[in-house]
Amino acid sequence: MEATTLIARPSLLRRIFSTDHRTIARQYFFLSLFAVVVGVCLSLLMRFHLVWPREKVAWFEAIWSVRAEGGIMTEELYLSLMTLHGTIMVFFVLTLAPLNAFANLVLPEQLGGKEMAFPRMNMLSFWITVASFLTLLSACVFDEGGPIAGWTAYPPLSAVGAVSGPGEGLGQTLWFVSIGIFCIASLLSAMNIISTVIECRRPGMSLMQMPLTSWNWFVTSILSVLSFPVLLAAGLLILLDRLAGTSFFVPGDLLIAEQHSPHAGGSPLLWQHLFWFFGHPEVYIAILPGMGIVSHIISNFSRRAPFSYRACVWAPVAIAFLGMLVWGHHMFISGISPYSAMTFSLITMSIGAPSAVLVLNWLGTAYQAVKLEFTTAMLFCMGFVSLFVTGGLTGLFLGQPEIDAYFHDTAFVVAHFHMIMGMAALFAVFAATFYWFPLMFGRMLDERLGKLHFYLTFIGAYALFLPMHFAGFAGNPRRYADFTNFDFFQAGMPLQRWITVTAFAMGAVQLIFIGNLFRSIFSGAKAGANPWNGPTLEWNADAEIADRGPYEYPDAGADAN
Amino acid sequence: MPTLTEPSIGAPPPIVPSPPRGYGGGDHNDNTGDSKAAASATTVRIAVYIGMCASTMTFAALASAMVVRRGLNPMDWHKLPVPPLLWWNTAALVLSSVVLAMAGRAFRAGLRPRLRILWFTGTALGTWFLIGQAINWKFLADQGFYLRENPASAFFYVLTWAHAAHVIGAIAGLYYVTWCLLARPFAPLNRNVLEVSVIFWHFLDVMWLFLMAIFAFWS
C-alpha cells in the first residue's frame, strides 16, 4: 500500500472548523455571497414598495403576517428591510469580502509564507462572524419583526426600547448584540492580518517589497483596530440605556407614544460622534482593500509595475489617516459648531488629493502598459476606477457644510455612497473573484460570461444610481417609505419607477455571475499554476525575491520602482 | 535550567521548503484541514500589543464619552465619593505589577524557586484587586450610587466593569502559568503565556492609574 493512501481524509467536522487559511477564505467568500444575495433581495423589496406601496402581494403576508397584513407592506416593514439591508451590506459584505475573504486567500503566500500568524484565531474569528450574522437574522424573527432604526441606529429611537415602535424591543437589542459580536470578530481578524504582515514575511522581503494588496489589507486592518473598539464601547453604552435605564444618549422630557421617558440628560449627539468615529473609517475599511486589488490587477494586466509603487503605498496610508479625522462631516446639520464643521470640511476635501494620486497611478499604469489585456478582472478594475471617480466627485458636494445642508438625508447621499462604497467596492470584489478564482477552486471562471456580466453591471450601475442623484437634487428624502402621499413628490415618481425597474434588471444580471460561479466551480476549465502570469508569490511560491520589487515582469523589463 | 531564546522583533521565520502542491484550491497546508504551526513568541507579543491598542481605543472612547456627557449637561452630574478601598486596590495592583515584573526577570535568569514565589504573590495581589473591586461596587450601591442614579456613577461602573473584564482575562493567564508552575514541566508555549501575561498586566496597571486619576481628580 502506498504511503499516500494511509493519510486519512479529515472528518467533516474538521473540514468545517478548519484552520487552513484558504478554507477559511472560501468560508468567508460564501458567507459574503449569501449575505449579498439576502441584501440585494431586501433592496429590491424596498424599491418595489417605494413605487407601488399599495400593491398587494400574497407572499408578503405569508412571510410577514403582522407587518404585511393583507399582502400590503407596512411602513415599519419597509424600515426594517432598510435597516437589515444596510447592516448586512456594510458589515457582512463590504467588510468581509474584500478584506477577510481575499486576505485569507492570498496574504500568507504573497508574503512568501504558508499560513496566517494565528490559524486557530483565524478560524475563531470566522465562526464568531457567523454567530454575529445569525444573531442579526434572529433580530428579525423574534419580537414584532426587525429593528427600524437604520444601520446607524441613532438614538433616541434606538435607545428607548419597544415604546418607540415595532421591532425596537428585542429586535433592536439583538441588533446591537450582533454588531458587538461582529466588532470582536473583526478585531481578531485584524490582529491576525497585522501580525502576519509584520512577522510572517519571507526572509529578505521588506515592507516596500510587499504587493500592494498586502499593503492595503495591512492598512485596513490597522483602521479596524482603531475604529471597531469605539463602536463596541458605544454599543455597550447604548445597551445600558436600553436595558439598565441609564441616560448616556437619551435626553430628558421625551414624550414617546404618549409615554413620558424616564431618561434624563443624555445626548443623541454623543452617539453620533462615537458612531461616526467608527462609521467613517468603516467606509475606508470597505474601499481600501479594493484599491489594493485594483492596483495589483491593473499592474498584472498592463505587464508593468505600477506607475509609482511608492505613491500606491503611501496614498492609501494618507487616506486612512485623514479618514480617521473626518467623522464630523456626517453631522453638519446635527448642530455642531460652524468652526468644527469648517475644519471637518477642509480635512474631508484634502482626502481628494491622495485619491487623485491613486487614480492617476491606475490610469498611468494602464496608459504605459507594455501589453494591455482586457480580461474580465481588468475590466472590473477599470469599472472600479470609473465608479470611484464618479462617487468621489459627488463626495465633494457632501463634504461642504453649505451644500450638505440641502443634500443631507436626500437620495443624493444614498446615490453617492452606493456608487463609491457599494458599486466600486463590489467591482473590486468581482475583479478579485475572477483573478484569484484559480487559487480558490483550481478552475477558471468563464471569461465570455464574465465580460457580459461586467458590461451589463457597469451600464446598470450608472443607469441605477445616476438618476438617484437627480432624485436627490429634486429633494427626495431618504428613509421615506412612501412618496405617494405627498403631492410634492409626484413629479419625481417616473424617475423612481425607472430606478426600481433598473434595480430589478441589475438584480437579474447578477444571476449571470452566480451561474458562472457555480458552473465554474464544478466544471470550469482547469487552471494552470499561473494562468495570468502574475509576478507575485501567490503564483510563484519558489521565486527569488531578494533585490527585486513585487511587480517585476521578466518579459516587460519594467522597473519595480 | 530553562532559558528563553527568542528571535528579535521583526526577524522573519525560518525558511521552510514548500511542499509540492497543485493549484486545486484544496486545503493549503496538509490534508487534515488544520495548520499546526505554533506562533513564535515574538508573533504572540505583537498580537498582544495590537490587542492593547484595541483596548486603549475602547477606554479612550468611554473616557471621551464621559468628558463630553459631563460637558453637555453638567447639571445632572453628581460627584461620586471615591471608596477608600479603591486606593488600597490601586496599591495592590501597582505592587502586583512590580512583583510580576520581578518574576519575569527571575524567569529569564532561570531562578525557578524565586519565580514561583514572586508569581504566586503577584497572582494573589491581582486576585485581591478583583475582589476589592467587587467590594467597592457594593460599597457604592450601599451608599445609594446605582448605575442609573446619575451619569457620574454610570460611567464609574462602566469603566470599572470594562477594566475588570480585562483583568479577568489577564488573571486567567496568571492562573494558567501558576498551574503550569505547580503541575507541569515548563513547555515552550507556557513561556509565551508568561511573557504576554506580564506585558498585559502592566498595561492594565497603567490603564487603571489613568482611570483612577479621572475618578479621583476630575470626575
Side-chain angles (χ1 to χ4, degrees), chain A residues 394-439:
Chain A
T394 53
L396 294 178
F397 289 77
L398 297 170
Q400 298 172 65
E402 302 82 3
I403 306 176
D404 184 66
Y406 177 77
F407 282 136
H408 194 91
D409 269 346
T410 69
F412 188 91
V413 180
V414 182
H416 158 70
F417 71 71
H418 274 84
M419 197 71 112
I420 194 158
M421 191 182 165
M423 293 315 300
L426 284 178
F427 267 49
V429 171
F430 284 133
T433 306
F434 275 86
Y435 185 73
W436 283 306
F437 194 79
L439 287 185

Side-chain angles (χ1 to χ4, degrees), chain A residues 460-477:
Chain A
Y462 276 101
L464 173 55
F465 293 113
L466 213 55
M468 204 180 274
H469 288 90
F470 301 139
F473 274 124
N476 274 205

Side-chain angles (χ1 to χ4, degrees), chain A residues 209-232:
Chain A
Q209 282 178 307
M210 285 200 308
L212 292 167
T213 36
S214 301
W215 257 108
N216 279 265
W217 288 320
F218 180 49
V219 174
T220 306
S221 298
I222 292 172
L223 267 187
S224 296
V225 167
L226 296 177
S227 59
F228 273 107
V230 178
L231 181 65
L232 189 62

Side-chain angles (χ1 to χ4, degrees), chain B residues 37-110:
Chain B
S40 74
T42 315
T43 315
V44 173
R45 204 177 298 162
I46 288 169
V48 169
Y49 288 138
I50 299 165
M52 281 156 48
C53 287
S55 293
T56 303
M57 288 305 292
T58 308
F59 282 106
L62 292 171
S64 308
M66 187 180 185
V67 172
V68 172
R69 173 66 176 82
R70 184 184 178 180
L72 286 171
N73 192 358
M75 301 303 288
D76 68 347
W77 192 276
H78 305 297
K79 188 168 165 54
L80 206 65
V82 177
L85 185 61
L86 211 57
W87 294 105
W88 289 106
N89 262 0
T90 306
L93 189 65
V94 172
L95 194 59
S96 72
S97 208
V98 172
V99 171
L100 288 174
M102 291 165 66
R105 282 176 141 191
F107 167 68
R108 281 186 288 276

Side-chain angles (χ1 to χ4, degrees), chain A residues 109-152:
Chain A
E109 279 93 357
Q110 279 199 340
L111 302 176
K114 286 179 66 189
E115 188 44 273
M116 300 292 281
F118 300 101
R120 287 194 184 90
M121 191 200 283
N122 206 13
M123 176 192 72
L124 187 66
S125 54
F126 171 74
W127 287 105
I128 293 176
T129 308
V130 173
S132 163
F133 189 59
L134 294 177
T135 309
L136 178 68
L137 295 182
S138 72
C140 306
V141 176
F142 299 120
D143 208 20
E144 291 181 57
I148 59 174
W151 86 277
T152 54

Side-chain angles (χ1 to χ4, degrees), chain B residues 23-206:
Chain B
Y23 287 81
D27 291 341
H28 177 223
N29 293 289
D30 52 40
N31 79 337
T32 64
D34 279 351
S35 303
K36 297 188 176 63
S40 74
T42 315
T43 315
V44 173
R45 204 177 298 162
I46 288 169
V48 169
Y49 288 138
I50 299 165
M52 281 156 48
C53 287
S55 293
T56 303
M57 288 305 292
T58 308
F59 282 106
L62 292 171
S64 308
M66 187 180 185
V67 172
V68 172
R69 173 66 176 82
R70 184 184 178 180
L72 286 171
N73 192 358
M75 301 303 288
D76 68 347
W77 192 276
H78 305 297
K79 188 168 165 54
L80 206 65
V82 177
L85 185 61
L86 211 57
W87 294 105
W88 289 106
N89 262 0
T90 306
L93 189 65
V94 172
L95 194 59
S96 72
S97 208
V98 172
V99 171
L100 288 174
M102 291 165 66
R105 282 176 141 191
F107 167 68
R108 281 186 288 276
L111 306 171
R112 193 67 177 263
R114 185 176 162 84
L115 164 65
R116 278 190 183 189
I117 292 168
L118 289 169
W119 193 266
F120 296 161
T121 310
T123 305
L125 284 166
T127 308
W128 164 250
F129 173 80
L130 202 57
I131 295 168
Q133 292 296 79
I135 295 170
N136 280 323
W137 294 327
K138 185 166 185 322
F139 170 83
L140 285 172
D142 291 344
Q143 300 274 315
F145 289 97
Y146 300 108
L147 180 69
R148 59 192 297 180
E149 205 60 26
N150 83 73
S153 59
F155 273 108
F156 177 85
Y157 282 112
V158 169
L159 284 164
T160 51
W161 285 345
H163 187 265
H166 283 75
V167 169
I168 288 170
I171 277 193
L174 298 188
Y175 273 99
Y176 177 73
V177 175
T178 304
W179 179 65
C180 293
L181 283 170
L182 283 173
R184 294 174 57 181
F186 222 42
L189 174 67
N190 304 336
R191 292 177 188 164
N192 281 353
V193 177
L194 187 145
E195 291 282 333
V196 298
S197 294
V198 173
I199 292 169
F200 195 61
W201 194 260
H202 293 333
F203 165 73
L204 292 179
D205 192 358
V206 172

